[in-house]
Amino acid sequence: MPGKRDKVENVGLLIYIGWKKYIRYDEGHKLYGMSIRQFMRLALDSGAVRKIGRDAIVNVKELNRYIVEEQEREKYEKLYGQYGTPEDYWED
């Protein structure tokens, strides 16, 4: 039987100080406060997943960048989605 991985208690702190750039799914879903399936889907959609053999790790920087971009895109669509951008109505 394979040995268990050592649990890292302060994952958020290690990411913040830059010692840990990649996390596993089980660490990530606890860190981001969502179910493991939601975290897996978010990580795959962001393109931040790196597969090493049978293991998968998630690049935290890419995942955070994706989350911010999605928030900005949703905000933009809420403001201009129905009517287009202000530039569409102004001609020089």
Side-chain angles (χ1 to χ4, degrees):
M1 187 164 120
K4 288 188 173 186
R5 287 190 312 248
D6 293 333
K7 297 257 184 200
V8 178
E9 296 297 326
N10 297 322
V11 176
L13 178 63
L14 294 176
I15 291 169
Y16 179 73
I17 61 177
W19 287 2
K20 192 168 177 97
K21 295 179 180 152
Y22 293 94
I23 56 175
R24 296 181 186 274
Y25 289 141
D26 57 341
E27 296 168 339
H29 86 90
K30 292 174 188 171
L31 184 67
Y32 284 88
M34 57 180 66
S35 72
I36 196 161
R37 278 203 182 265
Q38 286 177 326
F39 182 75
M40 288 171 67
R41 189 176 304 125
L42 180 67
L44 288 171
D45 289 345
S46 69
V49 177
R50 304 291 180 259
K51 297 207 175 186
I52 302 172
R54 292 176 48 179
D55 293 333
I57 55 176
V58 179
N59 186 332
V60 178
K61 188 179 271 188
E62 286 183 30
L63 182 65
N64 288 338
R65 184 179 307 128
Y66 176 77
I67 291 171
V68 170
E69 287 174 0
E70 281 297 306
Q71 287 176 340
E72 291 296 320
R73 185 186 58 79
E74 288 175 3
K75 188 188 308 181
Y76 181 82
E77 285 179 354
K78 185 185 277 187
L79 289 174
Y80 302 118
Q82 185 177 4
Y83 302 107
T85 63
E87 290 83 24
D88 294 340
Y89 298 104
W90 297 99
E91 294 181 9
D92 291 329

